Structures are given as structure tokens and as C-alpha cells.
Amino acid sequence: MRHLMNPLDFSVEELDKLFDLAESISADPAKYAHVCDGKTLATCFYEPSTRTRLSFESAMIHLGGQVLGFSEASSSSAAKGESVSDTIRVISCYADICAMRHPKEGAPMVAASKSGIPVINAGDGGHQHPTQTLTDLMTIRALKGRLGNFTIGLCGDLKFGRTVHSLINALIRYEGIKFIFISPPELRIPDYITDKLIESGIEYEEVIKLEVSIGDLDILYMTRVQRERFFNEEDYVRLKDFYILTNEKLQLAREDMLVLHPLPRVNEISVEVDDDPRAVYFKQAQYGVYVRMALIMTLLGLVSDTDTTP
Ligand code: CP
């Protein structure tokens, strides 16, 4: 039985296969409409979510399966003090696969160690968000045609943003990637990540102003300031509008630069940018459904040799 806790749980070759399958699904979703007939996905979300939970549910429904679950800790027996270990043992009696989001780093890993079914980390605290990373990689691969040889700027809350941590973790396995970290000093990328980049000989820069670097980027990955991870509201209010991407700033960027964002957006991308063809964050959300369909099939062992044949 296989779980997904971290993007590195899949090799580069396995990810290629997963993305091939996701592309085949996107080209002909009807072909996969009954792959999960009789299977059930549990979504156990101890933290709020729109995209991750609903895209998992949409993915399972589009595969012909059923869904059950809870969307907040307060409506589960966690409110009475039940541990994730006990919860997953029980969920294993009700479902075939589980996507779990939890505010505590490592909680889905604890669940996986006691689980009778595959567990997918749907975001654990400020740590990892591997299925967002799969979504991001698929978007880049589909729209840039490659997963390597580009400069990516990651902008915003690089301290608490788990999507950023997960994406960097995954991208360091590809050739020719240069990272530009764009953040206020208080929200800079953690040292454990820059230490890893130095050890691996991967080029990176840290800057404060978006305008200084935007012209060098193939991909701009915007993120919101993670209010829920701040210790005090005053700091959040001071930093929340540090970056606002506008059409004026986009004029400094290349014509073929892509703007990604895991969403939800707060103020960091002005809505006027949505009409720019470089803004692909809503397409990215659509890719998230296809890649989660491919992931569910893979973890349930339901992929056949003909599934990636157009
Ligand atoms: N990108 C993402 O994780 O969004 P949600 O918090 O809405 O799931």
C-alpha cells in the first residue's frame, strides 16, 4: 500500500507517468468515468479548504466513485479529543482511500502509519502540500512544455507557505532550474531550504522587490500571506499587502511568462490581471482535478497499460 506525504514519494519517472495519465484524462474524461465504480474516497479536513477538498471530491465523482468525509475538525470527533490514529483506523473501515488536511505538521504521516488504506497529505501545517505541487508541475509541463530549464520566482509568504516548500522540494530534481525568492525579510524562505539548495549546487537569489526580478522570470509563483500561521495580527496587517501584482508591473515581464498561484488569492494579484493571457491560476485549478484523478487511480492500483494511450 502506498501513501503520498511528500512530492518526493514519487520518482521523476513515476511523476512523468502520472502526468501522462492526467493529460490522457483531460483529453478524454469519459474514458475514465467508471474506473472507480464501487470505490469510496474519504476527505478528512481539519482545516478549511475549497480547492483541495472539492477537487478531490470532483476527481472521485468523475471516476465513478463515492465520497464521504468532514470539512472541519469541529464537526468530527476530533472535537471530543479523538486522535488522528484512531480516526484513520475507523475511516479505513468506511473508505478505500483518504485525503487528509491537518494544521499540525506530520499529522497525515501519523495517520498513514496506522491506516489500512492509502492516505494522501492534503496539506499539513506550514510543511508540505504535495497534491498542490502535482497540480503546479502539471500546469508548468502542460503550458511550458517542459519541467526544467527555467527561472521561477516565488513571491510572497515564503516562510509559512507550504505550497512553496513542496514545490521547491519537487523542482530540485529537474535540470536547469534557477529560483528567485521574492519576500519581505520577515517572510523569507527557511534556512533549511536554502541549505539544501546550496548542498545540491542549485542557483538561487533572494530579493525584496518584485519589480527588480520580474523581467528575468519564466514563471512567477505568487502566494498569499498565511494569516492563519501568524502569531500576532499586527504583523499580518503590516505584511499582507507587501506585494500586489498589477497590470503595470506585468508590463515589465516577458510575454511568455506564466503567473501561477495555488489560490486562494487575497490582495496579492489585482483582479485586472485575470484577463492577461499569462495569468493561468484558474487553469491551474482545473489541472488539479485531472492530476488528482490520476493520483487516486495510481494509489488504488487501477491504472492499466491502455490508460495513457490516446
Ligand atoms: N490551493 C489550496 O490548497 O487551496 P484550498 O486551501 O482552498 O484547498
Side-chain angles (χ1 to χ4, degrees), residues 3-291:
H3 309 285
L4 177 70
M5 294 295 121
N6 183 312
L8 302 186
D9 292 346
F10 278 56
S11 68
V12 169
E13 293 71 29
E14 286 174 321
L15 286 184
D16 280 342
K17 281 191 187 153
L18 189 83
F19 299 139
D20 288 345
L21 176 57
E23 275 182 17
S24 295
I25 294 170
S26 75
D28 184 8
K31 182 175 161 188
Y32 301 87
H34 296 287
V35 173
C36 283
D37 280 357
K39 300 287 182 193
T40 302
L41 165 79
T43 52
C44 298
F45 276 59
Y46 296 82
E47 255 196 351
S49 167
T50 296
R51 270 146 299 277
T52 311
R53 185 171 67 83
L54 297 181
S55 65
F56 263 117
E57 295 190 358
S58 173
M60 192 49 147
I61 290 165
H62 281 98
L63 290 169
Q66 308 279 321
V67 296
L68 53 78
F70 53 86
S71 57
E72 50 188 66
S74 62
S75 64
S76 78
S77 284
K80 302 173 205 160
E82 186 171 57
S83 66
V84 291
S85 305
D86 284 0
T87 301
I88 196 67
R89 285 183 178 204
V90 173
I91 296 288
S92 300
C93 305
Y94 306 156
D96 301 287
I97 186 165
C98 173
M100 179 180 285
R101 171 170 289 187
H102 202 287
K104 282 201 183 139
E105 301 182 356
M109 176 83 92
V110 171
S113 71
K114 301 289 180 191
S115 180
I117 57 175
V119 177
I120 301 165
N121 177 3
D124 61 329
H127 187 220
Q128 296 283 326
H129 191 345
T131 62
Q132 181 61 49
T133 299
L134 301 183
T135 302
D136 301 339
L137 294 179
M138 180 170 174
T139 305
I140 295 169
R141 191 178 104 140
L143 301 180
K144 277 275 172 222
R146 62 185 190 278
L147 274 174
N149 299 309
F150 55 71
T151 299
I152 180 166
L154 298 120
C155 177
D157 184 349
L158 308 187
K159 178 177 179 182
F160 295 116
R162 61 190 171 200
T163 62
V164 166
H165 304 161
S166 254
L167 183 57
I168 297 166
N169 214 12
L171 282 176
I172 57 179
R173 295 192 296 185
Y174 296 91
E175 292 290 318
I177 308 253
K178 177 176 175 186
F179 295 98
I180 302 191
F181 300 127
I182 307 156
S183 74
E186 296 91 333
L187 298 179
R188 64 176 286 273
I189 197 80
D191 287 340
Y192 80 88
I193 293 181
T194 50
D195 289 348
K196 197 164 169 185
L197 295 179
I198 292 165
E199 264 171 39
S200 312
I202 294 168
E203 204 180 339
Y204 76 91
E205 274 175 41
E206 290 187 83
V207 300
I208 296 173
K209 282 184 81 73
L210 174 59
E211 296 87 323
V212 169
S213 298
I214 195 168
D216 299 328
L217 304 178
D218 299 298
I219 297 160
L220 172 60
Y221 192 91
M222 294 295 295
T223 62
R224 84 187 156 91
V225 175
Q226 305 270 306
R227 180 182 204 158
E228 63 275 32
R229 317 244 178 259
F230 272 68
F231 294 113
N232 69 69
E233 182 72 5
E234 203 180 295
D235 284 349
Y236 169 71
V237 170
R238 186 167 51 80
L239 294 167
K240 71 183 173 66
D241 293 330
F242 201 91
Y243 299 107
I244 300 180
L245 182 66
T246 57
N247 280 342
E248 194 184 340
K249 285 181 197 152
L250 257 191
Q251 282 180 7
L252 303 170
R254 294 179 187 158
E255 283 301 309
D256 64 349
M257 187 188 79
L258 298 178
V259 183
L260 276 70
H261 191 311
L263 303 176
R265 154 181 59 188
V266 186
N267 279 333
E268 60 280 358
I269 301 180
S270 168
V271 289
E272 68 185 15
V273 171
D274 297 355
D275 295 329
D276 190 296
R278 291 170 287 189
V280 297
Y281 28 89
F282 293 115
K283 269 188 200 164
Q284 190 181 349
Q286 176 67 65
Y287 285 125
V289 177
Y290 299 132
V291 87

